[in-house]
Amino acid sequence: QVQLVESGGGSVQPGGSLRLSCAAVGSIFSISHMGWYRQTPGMQRELVAGITRDGATTYKDSVKGRFAISREEALNTAYLQMNSLKPEDSAVYYCHANILAPGDYEYYDYWGRGTQVTVSS
């Protein structure tokens, strides 16, 4: 069984930094793309940053230049370095991964449980 385990959320003042980690654990054959989404109450979940197996990245416009996504293939782990945080970055952040497990014939989407990020003075 595959799970995505997130860590690194918390509270920080505006201008501060946080680093989120997402480890895919369990029986995994291959991971295609990984990404971070966020959601605030009453709003739809939105893509913050994504990274392919080849290392190509994509970012939400409002986080470009402040956030950086990376992944470590050997550990099946993705990271989101968040700098110059703003109050509007406050949300629950969810990790997503597209994973092929042994015995499966296609990739499936997996989600983490979410980690709270709060930016406030």
Side-chain angles (χ1 to χ4, degrees):
Q1 186 176 358
V2 176
Q3 289 183 323
L4 299 184
V5 181
E6 299 145 330
S7 61
S11 296
V12 66
Q13 292 186 339
S17 298
L18 285 173
R19 188 189 194 213
L20 305 182
S21 298
C22 171
V25 298
S27 186
I28 296 169
F29 184 76
S30 175
I31 300 177
S32 176
H33 55 270
M34 301 184 76
W36 289 94
Y37 289 69
R38 68 187 183 190
Q39 188 172 24
T40 54
M43 301 297 288
Q44 286 189 335
R45 193 173 296 186
E46 60 179 9
L47 176 66
V48 176
I51 185 167
T52 69
R53 182 163 41 207
D54 296 331
T57 58
T58 185
Y59 294 96
K60 178 180 172 62
D61 283 346
S62 64
V63 307
K64 287 179 180 177
R66 299 188 297 121
F67 290 11
I69 188 170
S70 59
R71 63 190 281 180
E72 194 164 350
E73 290 294 329
L75 298 179
N76 289 331
T77 298
Y79 307 95
L80 184 66
Q81 179 66 44
M82 304 185 294
N83 300 324
S84 302
L85 282 161
K86 304 176 180 180
E88 51 263 42
D89 294 317
S90 297
V92 177
Y93 284 69
Y94 296 90
C95 178
H96 165 267
N98 198 235
I99 296 174
L100 177 67
D104 287 342
Y105 295 96
E106 60 184 287
Y107 287 79
Y108 289 98
D109 291 325
Y110 291 84
W111 292 90
R113 293 186 175 184
T115 184
Q116 179 70 48
V117 171
T118 302
V119 185
S120 174
S121 56

